[in-house]
């Protein structure tokens, strides 16, 4: 069974930076598309950034130019580098992965990012 474990969340001041990591564990799997979503209090979960196995990326308009997603396919880790953070970026950030062949969708448990003004 494939599991995703996020790390790197925390409290940061506006204008600061954080890097989130998401490590996939298990056996006999490969990941097609992976990415990050977030859910702020009282709001629906929304996509932040996604990256395909070949490296193509897409971002939510609200984070373009500030966030960068990357992945290490050999280690099955996906990163989200967040810069110029704003209070409105405060949310629980979830890692997501779609497995190759089965297209099963996997979610991590989430990591809280709090940006203070």
């Amino acid at each position: 069974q494939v599991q995703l474990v996020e790390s790197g969340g925390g409290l940061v001041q506006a204008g600061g930076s954080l890097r989130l990591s998401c490590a996939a564990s298990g056996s006999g799997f490969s990941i097609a598309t992976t990415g990050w979503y977030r859910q702020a209090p009282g709001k629906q979960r929304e996509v932040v950034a996604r990256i395909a196995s070949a490296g193509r990326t897409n971002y939510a308009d609200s984070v373009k130019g500030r966030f960068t997603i990357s992945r290490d396919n050999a280690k099955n880790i996906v990163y989200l580098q967040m810069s110029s953070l704003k209070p409105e970026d405060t949310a629980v950030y979830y890692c997501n992965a779609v497995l190759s062949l089965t297209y099963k969708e996997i979610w991590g448990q989430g990591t809280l990012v709090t940006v203070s003004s």
Side-chain angles (χ1 to χ4, degrees):
Q1 187 167 345
V2 180
Q3 291 185 321
L4 302 176
V5 178
E6 301 105 329
S7 60
L11 174 64
V12 64
Q13 288 188 330
S17 299
L18 278 177
R19 189 177 81 156
L20 305 182
S21 300
C22 173
S25 62
S27 62
F29 71 96
S30 62
I31 295 173
T33 302
T34 183
W36 292 90
Y37 290 67
R38 67 185 180 187
Q39 187 167 18
K43 295 188 177 181
Q44 289 189 331
R45 191 174 298 188
E46 62 178 5
V47 63
V48 176
R50 295 193 63 79
I51 183 168
S53 56
R56 187 177 67 180
T57 60
N58 57 75
Y59 296 90
D61 287 343
S62 59
V63 306
K64 282 181 181 177
R66 300 189 298 122
F67 291 10
T68 301
I69 189 170
S70 61
R71 63 189 285 178
D72 184 331
N73 290 331
K75 297 181 179 179
N76 286 314
I77 299 176
V78 60
Y79 303 98
L80 185 67
Q81 179 65 48
M82 305 184 293
S83 303
S84 301
L85 283 160
K86 305 175 181 180
E88 50 264 44
D89 294 317
T90 295
V92 177
Y93 284 70
Y94 296 90
C95 180
N96 170 276
V98 176
L99 303 182
S100 302
L101 300 180
T102 63
Y103 297 101
K104 182 178 181 180
E105 192 172 34
I106 308 293
W107 291 92
Q109 81 286 352
T111 185
L112 177 63
V113 172
T114 303
V115 184
S116 63
S117 57

